[in-house]
Amino acid sequence: MRIKAFTLSEILITLGIISVISALTIPALIQKYQKTQTVTQFKKVYSTLQQALRTASDDIDIASLGNNWNNRDEVVDTLAKYFQTAKKYTSKDLVGTGRDSLCFDKNNRIGFTKQHPEIGYRFLHQNKMEQGMSTPLTGQPSFELNNGVCIGFSNYGGKRLVMVDINGNPTGPNRLGYDLFFFYIDDNNQLLPFYGGWWSTRFTTKSELNNNCNKNINQSGWSCSGKIMMENKINYW
C-alpha cells in the first residue's frame, strides 16, 4: 500500500497556521495565569493583614496610634510586632531616598530606573516608567515581611492608609492595581479596601469605583483593591 507523504509546502503551511494560533492564544493564556496568580497573592496578603491587625486591635487602639497616625514611625514600630517582620523603614531611614520610598533601600535601587532614579511606583495606566506616582507614598515609613511583602502606612488627608506591595519593592511591575494596593483603617480598627480616590474612602457609584481602577484614566488605580474584593477577579488589565 502506498502512503502519501506531505509535501514541503503543506508542512510549511501547517507550521505557519500553528504559529499564528500560538501567537494569538499564548499571550492571552499567560495574562490569564498572571491575573489568577495576582488575585491569589492579593487574597493571601489581605488575610495576613486582617489576622495580624485583628490581633493587634485586641491589645491596642490602632486608629489612635501615633496621634491618629500623624507619627507613622510609632505606627510602624507598634504594628511590626504583630507581623513576621524582616526589616523596618522609618523616617530616618528614608532621608535622601527619593520620592517613592515604600520599602526602598537607598543602597539597593532595584526597581528604580537610571532615567528616573526617584520613581519606583506607577499608576495603573502607565505602561512605561514616566513621571510615576509620589502621593501618598512620599517619605512614608513601612516594613518588609519575611516573605518579601511590603506594608506602608500613611495619613493623607486625614485617612489612615495601608499601602501594600504584594511581591515587594525589588520585584516589578511596582504598579497600582498590579502589585500595589491601598487599604485603610476605619475608626473601629477595621481593615477595609480603599474604594475611592485619595480624596475619598468610599465610592458612591459603581462608575466612581470603575474610574478609580481604570487603565484608560490618568492617575487611576486607587480603588483596585475594592474592585478585586467585589468581583473576585481582575478584569481591568
Side-chain angles (χ1 to χ4, degrees), residues 120-186:
Y121 286 93
R122 295 171 287 165
F123 289 103
L124 173 62
H125 75 283
Q126 292 175 309
N127 293 315
K128 298 180 179 179
M129 189 64 75
E130 300 165 6
Q131 76 179 65
M133 63 176 299
S134 57
T135 305
L137 301 175
T138 304
Q140 303 301 325
S142 56
F143 52 72
E144 182 181 331
L145 305 186
N146 290 337
N147 59 7
V149 173
C150 176
I151 305 174
F153 304 88
S154 176
N155 183 340
Y156 192 82
K159 303 170 186 67
R160 308 176 196 92
L161 296 187
V162 180
M163 305 167 290
V164 183
D165 185 336
I166 63 174
N167 59 6
N169 181 292
T171 306
N174 288 358
R175 186 174 170 189
L176 261 177
Y178 281 73
D179 55 351
L180 177 64
F181 297 94
F182 289 166
F183 302 89
Y184 75 102
I185 300 289
D186 70 4

